[in-house]
Amino acid sequence: MNNLDLVQEMDHQAKPLKPMELYVFFDPLNPECWELQGIIRKLQIEYGHYFSMRFVLSTKLFTLNKISKTVNVDTTNLSHPVLASVAVKAAELQGKRAGNRFLHKLQEYLLLQTKDVSSYAILLEIAEESELDQEEFKRDFHSVHTAKAFQCDMHITREMEIDEVPSIVFFNECIEDEGVKVSGLYSYEVYQTILQEMLGQERLNRQSPPSLEELFSKYSTLATREIASIYNISEQTAERELKKQLLQQKLERINLPDQTLWTLK
């Protein structure tokens, strides 16, 4: 696996302006992928000026022939684990921001409301909540463009020999260099060290995090431990600051069995 092969494969995309490029392989239904999201957010906040990033769907359930036969018949009561991934690609056709909104809302439905995001009917609800064009989303969901985009992600997954999600592959500017593949979930420091070593710098220029208000305007739902990590403070300190926002009725608190989430009110 080398960077030259990837560049040729990725639809002849232009060379990124930033010195590093990260490919994040994930499955929307995999809990560890959502856990990685917190690490990625912190990495973007602190070192996003060093790298660009692309998310690649890497679900193992990619029998598109079966999907196309069922999706075109009766989608009303259709339910299949792979539909969430297809829906993400359909949402992305309305733009990167629309795709991100859909992905974040899908996470909320999955984690907070524990709804079946493998259901086509629920995915339509998510599209509406994400303020997508409903009719366009329905058309795109069945379109050949979405199928091809999904197939492209599957092809990249096979070409780069990704057999575990989540995974991140790091590439630098030199197209002859091998990429560094990190399979599974690790601590933030591991990804930070790889970025630093591949950039060949003794010390990276770390950017300061935005204000809490700005952070929630970008990511509407965050966990206490995620906020503590972003601001490099203890969870107790983060909890106190978040409670202030709660008292001002700016945030809403959601208690889950294994974590506490905060979302814009």
Side-chain angles (χ1 to χ4, degrees):
M1 175 181 62
N2 60 55
N3 205 0
L4 180 58
D5 293 334
L6 181 64
V7 170
Q8 291 173 339
E9 181 57 44
M10 297 305 299
D11 302 323
H12 306 291
Q13 292 183 3
K15 185 178 178 180
L17 297 176
K18 297 178 182 180
M20 295 286 298
E21 195 160 17
L22 276 57
Y23 291 85
V24 182
F25 295 83
F26 77 106
D27 182 338
L29 303 185
N30 185 307
E32 284 195 344
C33 290
W34 292 117
E35 201 170 330
L36 177 67
Q37 179 180 255
I39 294 172
I40 289 172
R41 284 174 175 175
K42 181 177 171 66
L43 206 63
Q44 282 183 305
I45 288 168
E46 294 190 338
Y47 303 112
H49 50 295
Y50 287 113
F51 65 87
S52 59
M53 186 162 51
R54 170 168 178 169
F55 286 91
V56 183
L57 291 169
S58 186
T59 175
K60 292 183 179 179
L61 302 167
F62 52 85
T63 344
L64 285 179
N65 289 335
K66 291 183 180 178
I67 295 170
S68 61
K69 288 176 182 175
T70 32
V71 168
N72 288 324
V73 178
D74 177 21
T75 55
T76 309
N77 300 311
L78 182 63
S79 182
H80 191 287
V82 81
L83 296 187
S85 294
V86 175
V88 170
K89 302 313 291 185
E92 286 177 353
L93 291 179
Q94 294 191 35
K96 187 175 182 179
R97 289 184 179 178
N100 287 336
R101 287 201 309 272
F102 182 87
L103 200 55
H104 293 154
K105 187 60 64 174
L106 188 146
Q107 180 192 26
E108 290 178 17
Y109 266 62
L110 183 66
L111 299 181
L112 308 185
Q113 302 183 37
T114 61
K115 290 193 175 182
D116 182 13
V117 296
S118 63
S119 161
Y120 179 71
I122 296 297
L123 291 168
L124 288 180
E125 280 185 31
I126 296 172
E128 185 174 5
E129 286 286 321
S130 307
E131 299 179 350
L132 300 186
D133 185 307
Q134 282 286 83
E135 293 307 313
E136 186 177 343
F137 177 79
K138 290 177 185 177
R139 288 194 302 270
D140 288 338
F141 188 90
H142 301 83
S143 76
V144 65
H145 302 293
T146 296
K148 284 182 177 178
F150 187 60
Q151 285 174 325
C152 179
D153 279 14
M154 294 301 98
H155 180 67
I156 295 165
T157 299
R158 290 192 300 271
E159 285 293 305
M160 298 184 66
E161 300 176 353
I162 302 297
D163 51 18
E164 182 181 357
V165 290
S167 289
I168 300 182
V169 182
F170 293 74
F171 289 106
N172 60 26
E173 292 178 294
C174 185
I175 62 174
E176 285 81 15
D177 286 355
E178 289 278 328
V180 173
K181 180 168 66 175
V182 184
S183 300
L185 187 65
Y186 294 89
S187 68
Y188 176 79
E189 289 71 26
V190 170
Y191 303 102
Q192 183 185 33
T193 300
I194 293 171
L195 191 65
Q196 183 173 331
E197 289 179 351
M198 292 194 71
L199 285 166
Q201 297 185 19
E202 290 186 10
R203 185 168 182 170
L204 299 179
N205 178 26
R206 185 173 67 185
Q207 297 181 132
S208 300
S211 67
L212 201 57
E213 186 178 346
E214 289 174 317
L215 188 68
F216 272 97
S217 68
K218 187 172 184 180
Y219 310 113
S220 59
T221 303
L222 297 122
T224 304
R225 60 172 175 250
E226 187 178 352
I227 293 166
S229 174
I230 288 171
Y231 291 103
N232 296 306
I233 57 177
S234 68
E235 288 193 35
Q236 290 78 8
T237 303
E239 183 92 7
R240 284 198 299 269
E241 292 301 315
L242 290 161
K243 281 182 179 177
K244 293 177 185 177
Q245 300 289 316
L246 181 67
L247 290 172
Q248 295 173 24
Q249 297 188 335
K250 293 180 179 179
L251 296 178
E252 183 179 348
R253 180 175 185 162
I254 303 164
N255 294 313
L256 297 179
D258 60 340
Q259 64 179 325
T260 301
L261 298 179
W262 305 82
T263 186
L264 284 174
K265 200 170 179 71

